[in-house]
C-alpha cells in the first residue's frame, strides 16, 4: 500500500484560544521507492505533515495510510511501535539527541528499544554506521566529540539500524557546510537506489530538490499546492514562479544569461552541460 493522506486536517490546541489549523483537507499519495521533497514557506505545514507518517501526530479529521497501516482519529491506533520501526523520522538537528558514552552505544539504543538482542543490535548498528560512511574507528568515540556532519550521520545511523522501509528527514542539511550538505544528499540517494528506501525530505534548498529528488510536494498555508515530478515542476509551466520560491542556482544563472542574450536551453540538466553551452555561445561570438 502506498503512503497516502485522505482529507486530512490537523488542528493544534483545538477548542482553545490558541487553536491553529495546520493542515487543511490534505489529499496526497507519496510514491514508494522514490525520493520526495516536501517544500514550502516556513509555517506551511511541512513538519506537521511528516509527523503523521509515524503517528507522532494523528489526524484531527481524515485518514493517513502508511504501508499496511491506517491512522485516523476515529479509531484506536494500536501497536504504534511496529509502525515506528518501519517509518524512521529524523528531526532537524538530530545530533542534539545524542547522549550515550560511545557512538556505537548511541546507534544501538534504537534496536535495543525494539527488543533486539544485544548481538543483533550491535551487528545492525555496525552495518548502519558503515552505510553512513563511519568505520570502526568511530565505534568507541564519544558522539559529542566529532564534527557536526559526523554527528548528523550518527543520528541517521541510529534510525537506519532499526531498518525502516521509509526514512523521513526534516531539514537534514541545515547548518552543514556546502560539502557536508552535498555528501549528506548523496548518502540519501544511495540509501534510495542501493537499499530501496523510500525517502521523504523536508527542505528549503531548491538546489537539492532539483539535483537529488524524484518528486516534489509544495505546501502553502496548510494546503498542498502541487505534487509533481521534479523535472515537470522546474521545466514545465510556471508553478515554480507562481509560488514565489527562489529558483535553484543553476536555473537562476541560465535565466540571467538568457536575459543578456545567450541562447541557452532552459532545461539544461547539469553544471557540465551548462558550462559547455556557455562555452559554445561565447565561441560563436
Amino acid at each position: 500500500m502506498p503512503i497516502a493522506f485522505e482529507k486530512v486536517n490537523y488542528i493544534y490546541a483545538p477548542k482553545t484560544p490558541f487553536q491553529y489549523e495546520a493542515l487543511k483537507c490534505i489529499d496526497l499519495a507519496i510514491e514508494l521507492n522514490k525520493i520526495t521533497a516536501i517544500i514550502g514557506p516556513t509555517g506551511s505545514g511541512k513538519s506537521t505533515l511528516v509527523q503523521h507518517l509515524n503517528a507522532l501526530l494523528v489526524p484531527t479529521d481524515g485518514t493517513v495510510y502508511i504501508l499496511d497501516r491506517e491512522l485516523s482519529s476515529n479509531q484506536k491506533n494500536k501497536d504504534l511501535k511496529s509502525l515506528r520501526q518501519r517509518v524512521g523520522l529524523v528531526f532537524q538537528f538530530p545530533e542534539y539527541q545524542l547522549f550515550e558514552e560511545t557512538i556505537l552505544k548511541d546507534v544501538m539504543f534504537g534496536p535495543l528499544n525494539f527488543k533486539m538482542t544485544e548481538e543483533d543490535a550491535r551487528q545492525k548498528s555496525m552495518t548502519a554506521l558503515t552505510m553512513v560512511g563511519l568505520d570502526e574507528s568511530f565505534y568507541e568515540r564519544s558522539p559529542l566529540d566529532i564534527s557536526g556532519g559526523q554527528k548528523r550521520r550518527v543520528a541517521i545511523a541510529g534510525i537506519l539500524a532499526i531498518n525502516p522501509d521509509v526514512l523521513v528527514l526534516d531539514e537534514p542539511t541545515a547548518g552543514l557546510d556546502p560539502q557536508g550538505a552535498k555528501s549528506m544528499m548523496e548518502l540519501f540517494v544511495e540509501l534510495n537506489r542501493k537499499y530501496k528506501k523510500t525517502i521523504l525530505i523536508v527542505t528549503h534548498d531548491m538546489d537539492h530538490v532539483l539535483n537529488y529528488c524524484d518528486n516534489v510536494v509544495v505546501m502553502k498555508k496548510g494546503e498542498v499546492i502541487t505534487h509533481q515530478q521534479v523535472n515537470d515542476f522546474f521545466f514545465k509551466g510556471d508553478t515554480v514562479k507562481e509560488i514565489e520560491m527562489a529558483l535553484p542556482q543553476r536555473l537562476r544563472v541560465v535565466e540571467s544569461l538568457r536575459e543578456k542574450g545567450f541562447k541557452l536551453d532552459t532545461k539544461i540538466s547539469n553544471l557540465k552541460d551548462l558550462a559547455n553551452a556557455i562555452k559554445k555561445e561565447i565561441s560563436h561570438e
Side-chain angles (χ1 to χ4, degrees):
M1 181 184 291
I3 301 167
F5 293 75
E6 186 177 278
K7 299 290 185 291
V8 170
N9 298 315
Y10 187 78
I11 299 174
Y12 286 103
K15 300 179 182 179
T16 75
F18 305 102
Q19 177 172 312
Y20 174 68
E21 190 175 14
L23 298 180
K24 304 172 185 177
C25 201
I26 300 293
D27 283 313
L28 177 66
I30 301 293
E31 196 173 359
L32 296 180
N33 301 320
K34 298 290 185 181
I35 302 177
T36 298
I38 313 290
I39 67 173
T42 300
S44 59
K46 305 183 297 297
S47 295
T48 300
L49 182 81
V50 298
Q51 287 180 48
H52 280 74
L53 294 175
N54 69 351
L56 285 180
L57 299 177
V58 176
T60 303
D61 300 293
T63 305
V64 176
Y65 301 93
I66 175 72
L67 303 177
D68 59 352
R69 298 294 300 273
E70 181 178 325
L71 303 173
S72 74
S73 60
N74 300 322
Q75 63 183 26
K76 291 184 178 180
N77 297 302
K78 299 179 179 179
D79 192 23
L80 295 179
K81 198 168 188 178
S82 65
L83 173 63
R84 290 167 182 162
Q85 188 168 8
R86 298 189 68 191
V87 181
L89 178 57
V90 182
F91 292 99
Q92 188 174 3
F93 301 117
E95 58 269 28
Y96 291 166
Q97 299 168 351
L98 303 179
F99 63 91
E100 285 281 8
E101 293 178 302
T102 70
I103 287 171
L104 184 58
K105 285 183 179 180
D106 212 298
V107 177
M108 287 176 62
F109 178 82
L112 291 172
N113 192 46
F114 284 107
K115 308 302 182 185
M116 291 185 194
T117 66
E118 185 163 351
E119 182 56 30
D120 283 347
R122 180 179 297 275
Q123 289 300 320
K124 289 184 180 298
S125 297
M126 290 190 295
T127 298
L129 284 166
T130 299
M131 289 169 69
V132 301
L134 299 177
D135 62 28
E136 61 185 17
S137 67
F138 285 87
Y139 292 176
E140 298 305 314
R141 294 177 64 178
S142 167
L144 306 180
D145 192 31
I146 54 179
S147 72
Q150 290 167 339
K151 289 179 181 178
R152 192 76 51 93
R153 287 174 180 268
V154 171
I156 292 171
I159 297 297
L160 293 177
I162 64 175
N163 195 29
D165 300 299
V166 180
L167 187 60
V168 184
L169 304 127
D170 194 348
E171 298 284 2
T173 62
L176 298 182
D177 60 45
Q179 185 55 46
K182 179 177 183 290
S183 177
M184 191 66 65
M185 293 304 299
E186 289 173 346
L187 166 63
F188 302 144
V189 171
E190 181 181 17
L191 291 172
N192 171 251
R193 307 292 190 258
K194 184 175 180 179
Y195 298 99
K196 309 303 180 185
K197 304 295 183 185
T198 298
I199 311 282
L200 285 86
I201 301 176
V202 174
T203 183
H204 282 93
D205 193 313
M206 299 291 272
D207 288 276
H208 290 168
V209 177
L210 176 61
N211 294 332
Y212 300 105
C213 298
D214 301 300
N215 302 314
V216 57
V217 174
V218 183
M219 298 193 67
K220 187 176 182 180
K221 296 181 179 179
E223 299 178 331
V224 172
I225 303 302
T226 188
H227 177 205
Q228 297 176 274
Q229 291 185 353
V230 164
N231 284 340
D232 289 345
F233 176 65
F234 285 113
F235 301 122
K236 294 182 180 180
D238 295 319
T239 306
V240 66
K241 294 181 180 179
E242 290 170 359
I243 62 173
E244 299 179 343
M245 295 188 72
L247 287 170
Q249 185 176 17
R250 184 170 79 240
L251 300 189
R252 294 201 303 271
V253 170
V254 171
E255 189 175 77
S256 177
L257 290 174
R258 283 172 60 87
E259 289 173 355
K260 297 180 185 302
F262 281 70
K263 296 180 176 63
L264 298 176
D265 188 345
T266 57
K267 298 182 181 180
I268 291 175
S269 60
N270 57 61
L271 288 175
K272 183 178 179 180
D273 289 346
L274 175 57
N276 288 334
I278 293 172
K279 181 179 179 181
K280 184 177 180 181
E281 280 281 305
I282 292 173
S283 66
H284 285 169
E285 290 185 356

